[in-house]
Amino acid sequence: MVVVMSADATEEDISHVVERVESVGGSAFVSKGVVRTIIGLVGDIDSFHGLNLRTMTGVADVHRISDPFKLVSRQHHPDRSTVWVGQGEHRVPIGPDTFTFIAGPCAVETSQQTLEAVEMAKAAGATIMRGGAYKPRTSPYAFQGLGEEGLRILADVRTVTGLPVVTEVVDARDVPVVAEHADMLQIGTRNMANFGLLQAVGDAGKPVLLKRGMTATIEEWLMAAEYIAQRGNLDVVLCERGIRTFEPSTRNTLDISAVPVVQAKSHLPIIVDPSHAAGRKDLVVPLSRAAIAVGADGVIVDVHPNPEQALCDGPQALLGSELRALAQAVRQLPPAVGRIS
Ligand code: PEP
Ligand code: MN
């Protein structure tokens, strides 16, 4: 931490800051410039936060130098992590040594629609299936998902296909039942900063897929991951799914640079959701290629056996030639960038 004194700070103001830092066992290194003095603090950063240094007379500003997240930080955990999803022989890794393709319907609508979508996904090379039983919809009049019935359908489709299930939980009260049926719990963009829900999934004992809030900075997103990690659950996979910008051509703007930025700061795996980023199926394949090229640890993509009839996000669901092109990309490109798919 660095304390910047104002130009008119007195010697007494500087001594007060030094004394306050030393009172909690820290060291203060004073560096006098022509106009301003800066004071470098060394010691336990948490104890400095309680000192309210910003409010002291003569203090102009206080800057943090190290990241505010700890458990998810790469600083103390230089090796990138692998998170395993599923049970026994069906366990699938997500991490730096592989590339994981997750696909399935946006929403679970019927058993047949879910099974058909997941069979398509599996045939295209997917090794984990997605599908929402609890849908966070902008409108309360839109299809909200089948709830527990949807969870049972997902579990049945897992029995048939062998693919582990990732599905969203939108309410802390539903965490136990979702954890009972699913292999991985998804926190959607609208709930990234729902701290009670983050703590509840942190306690659930299952891996978590944490989507980036659509207006969240990378630091806020990693702090959300820290909430989960702080409950003892380090099996967290981050998912970049686009952020809100002024550009209306796509539903969200895929922040592709978030992938290497996150990988430099955190040891957690990071995947990309090109479907929810673009909101249009014609961009899903090019954005998936971009995700692979930039070093993402996987992609998660919407597929539907009949997108025109989909109850949720039909325009972005893949089928036919786009799905074949995606299958080719996820098979061919990861080895070309040094990943064993
Ligand atoms: C989803 O994956 O079904 C979903 C709702 O995604 P997001 O939270 O990124 O909008
Ligand atoms: Mn969706």
Side-chain angles (χ1 to χ4, degrees):
M1 232 177 200
V2 172
V3 177
V4 180
M5 303 302 291
S6 54
D8 58 3
T10 64
E11 284 299 325
E12 210 183 353
D13 295 337
I14 296 169
S15 312
H16 282 155
V17 171
V18 172
E19 280 160 26
R20 199 174 274 194
V21 170
E22 288 175 349
S23 74
V24 292
S27 309
F29 297 89
V30 178
S31 168
K32 288 196 174 134
V34 180
V35 182
R36 283 172 185 271
T37 295
I38 60 170
I39 308 174
L41 311 193
V42 178
D44 174 20
I45 191 144
D46 290 333
S47 66
F48 298 152
H49 283 303
L51 295 178
N52 283 329
L53 295 171
R54 253 199 192 88
T55 64
M56 292 183 74
T57 311
V59 172
D61 215 344
V62 178
H63 298 283
R64 210 184 53 219
I65 294 176
S66 50
D67 289 326
F69 41 86
K70 301 184 174 74
L71 300 169
V72 306
S73 168
R74 212 169 160 178
Q75 253 168 8
H76 310 292
H77 192 301
D79 292 337
R80 299 197 54 234
S81 298
T82 296
V83 171
W84 290 84
V85 181
Q87 307 297 317
E89 63 189 282
H90 297 299
R91 282 189 346 140
V92 175
I94 307 178
D97 301 326
T98 182
F99 183 83
T100 309
F101 176 24
I102 306 173
C106 176
V108 175
E109 298 165 16
T110 65
S111 323
Q112 196 186 337
Q113 164 261 2
T114 306
L115 181 61
E116 282 180 31
V118 175
E119 297 281 20
M120 279 166 46
K122 189 177 174 183
T127 53
I128 298 176
M129 66 161 142
R130 60 149 293 144
Y134 297 86
K135 296 305 301 176
R137 304 307 296 277
T138 305
S139 165
Y141 305 113
F143 175 59
Q144 303 286 310
L146 299 181
E148 277 192 57
E149 168 63 9
L151 295 176
R152 281 191 288 274
I153 292 175
L154 287 167
D156 289 347
V157 171
R158 173 180 51 209
T159 306
V160 177
T161 61
L163 266 50
V165 172
V166 56
T167 193
E168 181 164 355
V169 56
V170 299
D171 189 315
R173 288 170 295 189
D174 298 326
V175 168
V177 71
V178 177
E180 194 186 307
H181 291 85
D183 300 289
M184 182 179 221
L185 308 184
Q186 177 174 321
I187 298 293
T189 191
R190 293 162 187 80
N191 272 313
M192 186 213 81
N194 181 339
F195 302 118
L197 183 59
L198 296 175
Q199 287 170 331
V201 296
D203 290 338
K206 286 275 165 89
V208 177
L209 182 63
L210 177 63
K211 289 193 148 193
R212 179 180 184 178
M214 63 182 94
T215 59
T217 63
I218 289 172
E219 185 174 297
E220 287 163 345
W221 184 19
L222 291 172
M223 288 306 279
E226 188 82 7
Y227 263 91
I228 302 168
Q230 211 221 353
R231 305 299 277 210
N233 186 357
L234 273 164
D235 287 333
V236 180
V237 174
L238 301 160
C239 177
E240 162 61 40
R241 51 78 67 204
I243 50 176
R244 280 248 166 121
T245 69
F246 51 81
E247 176 51 58
S249 319
T250 49
R251 188 154 110 176
N252 296 277
T253 298
L254 181 64
D255 181 8
I256 200 76
S257 58
V259 174
V261 170
V262 162
Q263 287 175 343
K265 285 179 175 289
S266 174
H267 58 88
L268 299 178
I270 175 168
I271 67 170
V272 166
D273 180 343
S275 307
H276 287 84
R280 339 184 333 199
K281 62 180 179 169
D282 60 318
L283 298 183
V284 172
V285 175
L287 293 180
S288 297
R289 291 192 185 117
I292 297 167
V294 83
D297 301 311
V299 286
I300 179 166
V301 170
D302 282 9
V303 300
H304 196 288
N306 190 356
E308 285 172 22
Q309 306 281 313
L311 296 179
C312 183
D313 288 347
Q316 72 197 31
L318 295 192
L319 178 75
S321 57
E322 283 109 350
L323 188 55
R324 279 193 292 281
L326 180 66
Q328 193 179 24
V330 296
R331 204 174 48 244
Q332 294 179 344
L333 299 184
V337 295
R339 278 174 190 266
I340 318 123
S341 191

